[in-house]
Amino acid sequence: MLSRGAAGWRALRWAGRRPRARGLHASPRAWSAMPSWVIDRYGSNEVLRFTRDMVFPIIHFPNEVIIRVHAASLNPIDLSMRSGYGATALNMKRDPLKLKTEETEFPLTLGRDVSGVVMECGLSVSYFKPGDEVWAAIPLWKQGTLSEFVVASGNEVSFKPKCLSHIEAAALPYVGLTAWSALNQVGGLNKSNCSGKRVLILGASGGVGTFAVQLVKAWGAHVTAVCSHDASTLVKKLGADDVIDYKSGNLEEQLKTLPLFDFILDNVGGSTEKWALDLLKKWSGATYVTLVTPFLINMDKLGVADGMLQTGVTVGSKTLKHLLKGVHYRWAFFMPSGPSLDEIAELVDSGKKSSLKWTDHPFRRVGVWKKDRRELLEELYYNFL
């Protein structure tokens, strides 16, 4: 049987009648098509189209599961992907060997977050069973969650926190895993080494920032958060020890008056990178991690080979430059991970989160698949901007 961390199994060949889902009774049409929000080309909101005839997802690999979507949410990455951001790299990931006869990713379903119920499991999935309530963040190169059903690898899925509804749970996976990737997998922070460390979070009132504040605070860090005055109450309520309003004066000068930091998470990028690393403690293992990188943009502009080369040169030169100054410089990205979601779910269920509902946050928009799904998602999508 497939263990939780296994991957890379050969594809199943589906022939003849599609197998019935265990414990599920559906009409023939429900097996062949489903409602979904799709795009047929890249562009502005006008390219968004609702259809009831999106191809029903099937299990291609034995470690995959099909999830019935109870709630899904939108993130800024969905708006960027709608406009074509990252298309070159994501298309290469979708078909690395160019085996597909159709040279298009369309119709493309957006949406990364999902909370729902397992409908069907691949032959090698032993960790889940039909009927389990789960949540997940779907990788960027896969069909998204703004559909009635979505397929995911079992290694990308986790049991939903028991204390959250589907609507609340759907607001967490993508931002949670992005923050977890930056802080834990790239930055090396965890509950055993974070106590007493001084952590600076630039852009603390966004989706990733609000999650990061709560996470490092739960791990015992002293948190300094940078946001606008309008969001200061929110960020303070989430656990930040110090809140700096970047509009109240020169941000660099304000931060220089504070003791140096052990770790900086940058959700802003741009000019902040030029001076933020000077706020770190030198020769102490202090680390700067940024989530604003040119990786996908380079590949969109220069192509796969030249884009990867340019990216490698950029990150390599910056890493060496700052290492010689006594600090670590790193890039981080969203990484789908069921095991990481397991740890996040434990924190949520144990009460290591703010009493503020995640769905109250202005940067999170959550939709539920019901009879009025078209009107609801259309309203959410157009009001998201």
Side-chain angles (χ1 to χ4, degrees):
M1 300 298 285
L2 181 71
S3 65
R4 181 58 188 265
W9 291 77
R10 63 183 178 84
L12 290 177
R13 297 180 181 274
W14 292 89
R17 181 173 63 87
R18 184 176 291 141
R20 291 176 61 84
R22 293 188 289 272
L24 182 77
H25 301 282
S27 67
R29 175 173 175 77
W31 275 105
S32 60
M34 64 178 179
S36 179
W37 279 97
V38 301
I39 60 173
D40 300 302
R41 67 185 189 281
Y42 296 118
S44 59
N45 279 342
E46 286 69 28
V47 303
L48 192 67
R49 175 174 65 90
F50 179 78
T51 178
R52 295 186 180 277
D53 297 313
M54 185 63 177
V55 177
F56 192 92
I58 62 174
I59 291 175
H60 289 94
F61 297 89
N63 66 332
E64 291 182 331
V65 299
I66 294 177
I67 301 170
R68 182 190 292 272
V69 179
H70 281 220
S73 67
L74 294 173
N75 293 280
I77 187 64
D78 296 305
L79 301 183
S80 299
M81 288 178 64
R82 178 212 59 195
S83 301
Y85 171 73
T88 301
L90 297 178
N91 283 336
M92 181 187 69
K93 182 67 176 178
R94 291 176 183 122
D95 188 20
L97 300 179
K98 302 294 182 182
L99 299 177
K100 294 182 179 179
T101 55
E102 298 182 2
E103 297 184 359
T104 178
E105 63 272 35
F106 303 114
L108 180 64
T109 302
L110 301 175
R112 298 302 108 202
D113 292 311
V114 59
S115 181
V117 174
V118 174
M119 185 190 98
E120 178 63 14
C121 299
L123 296 177
S124 298
V125 174
S126 60
Y127 200 76
F128 302 103
K129 65 182 185 301
D132 286 340
E133 293 191 333
V134 297
W135 64 344
I138 308 300
L140 302 181
W141 57 87
K142 293 185 178 181
Q143 289 288 11
T145 61
L146 299 184
S147 294
E148 197 155 18
F149 299 91
V150 66
V151 65
S153 165
N155 299 322
E156 299 159 359
V157 179
S158 170
F159 291 108
K160 180 183 73 67
K162 295 180 177 61
C163 69
L164 297 184
S165 68
H166 283 295
I167 293 179
E168 291 173 319
L172 277 173
Y174 183 81
V175 294
L177 286 174
T178 303
W180 190 276
S181 167
L183 297 169
N184 178 264
Q185 296 176 288
V186 175
L189 298 181
N190 55 62
K191 61 183 177 182
S192 63
N193 68 7
C194 204
S195 180
K197 287 190 175 180
R198 290 182 51 79
V199 175
L200 171 64
I201 298 177
L202 299 167
S205 61
V208 175
T210 52
F211 188 93
V213 168
Q214 295 177 85
L215 183 59
V216 292
K217 189 62 182 177
W219 286 343
H222 180 282
V223 182
T224 300
V226 175
C227 60
S228 67
H229 175 72
D230 294 341
S232 60
T233 301
L234 163 68
V235 174
K236 196 77 174 178
K237 188 181 295 185
L238 295 177
D241 298 285
D242 299 316
V243 179
I244 308 297
D245 176 11
Y246 68 88
K247 294 181 179 180
S248 64
N250 186 292
L251 177 58
E252 180 182 358
E253 295 302 320
Q254 291 185 73
L255 292 173
K256 282 183 177 179
T257 63
L258 302 176
L260 295 175
F261 297 94
D262 299 288
F263 188 95
I264 296 176
L265 174 61
D266 189 354
N267 297 297
V268 178
S271 62
T272 58
E273 188 175 303
K274 297 178 181 178
W275 49 262
L277 285 98
D278 294 331
L279 303 174
L280 291 170
K281 299 175 183 177
K282 304 297 188 292
W283 307 108
S284 64
T287 303
Y288 167 92
V289 176
T290 179
L291 286 163
V292 184
T293 74
F295 175 58
L296 294 180
I297 294 177
N298 283 345
M299 296 183 71
D300 285 338
K301 290 182 177 179
L302 304 175
V304 174
D306 290 344
M308 292 182 70
L309 178 61
Q310 179 63 52
T311 298
V313 170
T314 300
V315 69
S317 60
K318 289 185 176 183
T319 300
L320 181 60
K321 170 187 172 182
H322 293 294
L323 187 61
L324 294 175
K325 295 181 179 180
V327 296
H328 297 286
Y329 173 93
R330 293 172 184 169
W331 288 359
F333 308 89
F334 157 72
M335 287 189 275
S337 171
S340 296
L341 279 176
D342 288 342
E343 296 194 56
I344 293 172
E346 284 185 27
L347 288 171
V348 173
D349 279 331
S350 66
K352 300 286 187 177
K353 73 181 187 77
S354 168
S355 59
L356 181 74
K357 287 187 178 180
W358 288 91
T359 46
D360 288 342
H361 195 279
F363 293 97
R364 312 297 300 152
R365 297 292 186 266
V366 184
V368 186
W369 284 100
K370 291 186 181 295
K371 291 182 180 179
D372 59 344
R373 60 177 71 90
R374 176 176 182 175
E375 293 79 7
L376 176 61
L377 277 176
E378 185 174 32
E379 179 184 355
L380 292 176
Y381 209 97
Y382 281 84
N383 289 341
F384 187 78
L385 294 173

